[in-house]
Structure formats: C-alpha cells, structure tokens
Amino acid sequence: MNTQTGIPVVTIDGPSGVGKGTISLRVAEQIGWHILDSGSLYRLTALKAKQSGISPENEDKIAELARNLSVEYRQQGDSLQILLDGEVVGDTIRTEEIGNLASQIAAIPTVREALLQRQRDFARPPGLVADGRDMGTVVFPEAGAKIFLTASAEERAKRRYKQLIEKGIDANLHDLVIELTERDERDAKRRVAPLVAADDAVTIDTTQLTIDEVTEQVMQLLRARYRF
Ligand code: DC
C-alpha cells in the first residue's frame, strides 16, 4: 500500500535514543529512498526559540517560528547535513538541552500543525523513509510499511551516552536515564500525536540487538513487502 500521493513510505517510530536515526539512514541508503528526520524539525524550532529568547510557554511565537523555518536537507550516503537559514547546524541541535526543549514545544498543537505539510512534502519518488514519533499514526497513516522500535530506558541511555561522548559532548549516564524517561513520558502522554505504535506497525525490541541486526530485520520486512 502507498501514500495518498502514490509514493511509497516506510515509517520508523519509537522513543528517544532507540536508534531510529541511524537505522533509518542505513535503510534509506540501502534502498535508495529519501529520508525524513522529523525530530530535527522540532529540534530546529527549539534551537531558533532558544536563539531568539522565546520561552516554550509563548505558543503563538513558537508556532510562528515553526511555520517560517528556513531549512535545507542534504542526504549524503548514510549521513544527513542540515542547514538552517543557510548555515550548517551540525551537532548544535543534538544536545540534551535542545532535545528536551524540542519535546516541550512538540506538545504544542499549533507547532505540530505548522510542521505537518512540510513533513508530508518529503515524500518524493522513488520513496521515503520517515523517522519520528507519529510518522505511522498521523503524518503518514497510509504508509506501506510501519516499524516501531523499542529498547529499555537503560540501554537507550547507554547508547545516547556513547554517542554524546564520541561527539565530544559532556554527558552523565544517570542523568540521561532520568531525562530520557521524562522525555518519553511527555512524548507519550501529550494530547496531540502522542508517541504510540500504529495498530498496523511491526514492533522490534532492539535491547539485545546490534545496529546491523536491526537494519537487517527491517530490510527483511521491506524485502517481503517491496521488490528490493
Ligand atoms: O527524535 P528526536 O530525539 O530528534 O526528537 C526530538 C523531540 O521532538 C522528541 O522528544 C519529541 C519531538 N518529536 C515529535 O514530537 N514528533 C516527531 N515525529 C519527532 C520528534
């Protein structure tokens, strides 16, 4: 089954630090499809809010920022370069501070509304791999393949810790477990588009799996559904 536009979409949803980003990029590279890192749109809005000194309580102003984001994505193999107002953002949007701020503003309905069509516009031939929290439930309910990744909070915190340290970003494992759990709760309990597996999603528990093993499981699913 395809999207309403006839362009095939694969959705990969799940909680923070589950490895969605890495898996999505690898899968997209293997099958030659476009990628949507939907979390980056919320993170970019959060970064803009921080830079402009706008508090997350100022919902109208935050929604305006989301509506007017000037973003460009450059997909290079299994990495993604993001430009905000023409400047490469790099890891400035990957900090825990921006992640938490993104989670707060992602609960604002007008922000989600402002970003909805922008996300759907990523669906271009030959197809799209979309990663986020509500890809299979709200943004692409007609997607042909839906995957929901899970892992224990401890394992996800460990992975995030390793990632941050490798990038030279200071981190504390204990704080990360608490922050990830808080963020998941906020993402899962919000009124609009909460973090939840779509009824027709296939769930993969990645706690005991390597990135290669998860990628292979996703690829097996896709091979069964499409002719790769
Ligand atoms: O996937 P991520 O960690 O980059 O996402 C950052 C935050 O953005 C996440 O905590 C909640 C929000 N988000 C969302 O609400 N919906 C999405 N589809 C993607 C991210």
Side-chain angles (χ1 to χ4, degrees):
M1 209 211 301
N2 291 340
T3 56
Q4 280 148 347
T5 55
I7 298 161
V9 174
V10 172
T11 59
I12 304 187
D13 288 303
S16 312
V18 77
K20 299 182 301 286
T22 311
I23 304 293
S24 300
L25 276 163
R26 288 203 182 182
V27 168
E29 192 196 13
Q30 284 196 35
I31 64 180
W33 286 12
H34 297 281
I35 184 108
L36 164 61
D37 167 8
S38 63
S40 69
L41 290 169
Y42 293 94
R43 285 175 183 266
L44 289 164
T45 308
L47 180 68
K48 271 257 165 189
K50 189 188 162 202
Q51 287 171 345
S52 328
I54 299 171
S55 106
E57 277 82 51
N58 197 340
E59 299 192 356
D60 290 347
K61 277 261 185 277
I62 304 264
E64 197 182 312
L65 285 183
R67 223 169 284 124
N68 297 320
L69 272 188
S70 164
V71 204
E72 194 191 324
Y73 289 83
R74 292 182 189 156
Q75 204 170 326
Q76 296 156 331
D78 68 354
S79 73
L80 188 67
Q81 192 178 57
I82 304 174
L83 291 91
L84 179 64
D85 300 323
E87 303 268 340
V88 176
V89 289
D91 285 336
T92 45
I93 57 164
R94 301 294 167 196
T95 62
E96 293 310 293
E97 185 199 359
I98 294 296
N100 286 322
L101 192 54
S103 165
Q104 283 175 53
I105 64 164
I108 304 170
T110 46
V111 168
R112 304 201 74 84
E113 219 176 277
L115 295 176
L116 187 60
Q117 192 55 45
R118 198 190 276 261
Q119 294 174 84
R120 289 185 174 150
D121 289 343
F122 275 77
R124 289 184 214 121
L128 179 72
V129 178
D131 117 46
R133 304 290 187 292
D134 61 341
M135 297 296 98
T137 50
V138 175
V139 182
F140 299 108
E142 311 283 325
K146 298 182 186 179
I147 290 142
F148 194 81
L149 300 179
T150 63
S152 71
E154 287 72 23
E155 177 60 26
R156 290 185 287 116
K158 265 194 231 157
R159 291 177 190 169
R160 181 57 62 92
Y161 178 79
K162 214 174 136 229
Q163 233 177 26
L164 290 171
I165 296 297
E166 275 169 11
K167 285 179 180 166
I169 302 171
D170 197 23
N172 173 297
L173 186 57
H174 177 70
D175 292 351
L176 277 177
V177 177
I178 294 171
E179 277 171 20
L180 275 186
T181 312
E182 272 177 17
R183 178 130 70 97
D184 290 347
E185 259 192 48
R186 188 168 40 230
D187 292 344
K189 285 187 181 154
R190 68 175 173 231
R191 206 164 39 81
V192 188
L195 165 69
V196 65
D199 289 340
D200 49 351
V202 174
T203 297
I204 303 175
D205 184 345
T206 73
T207 308
Q208 311 279 354
L209 302 177
T210 63
I211 290 172
D212 284 346
E213 286 168 336
V214 182
T215 307
E216 188 43 36
Q217 283 202 20
V218 174
M219 284 304 300
Q220 273 174 19
L221 259 154
L222 299 187
R223 280 188 212 109
R225 212 151 292 186
Y226 301 97
R227 292 177 186 210
F228 294 122

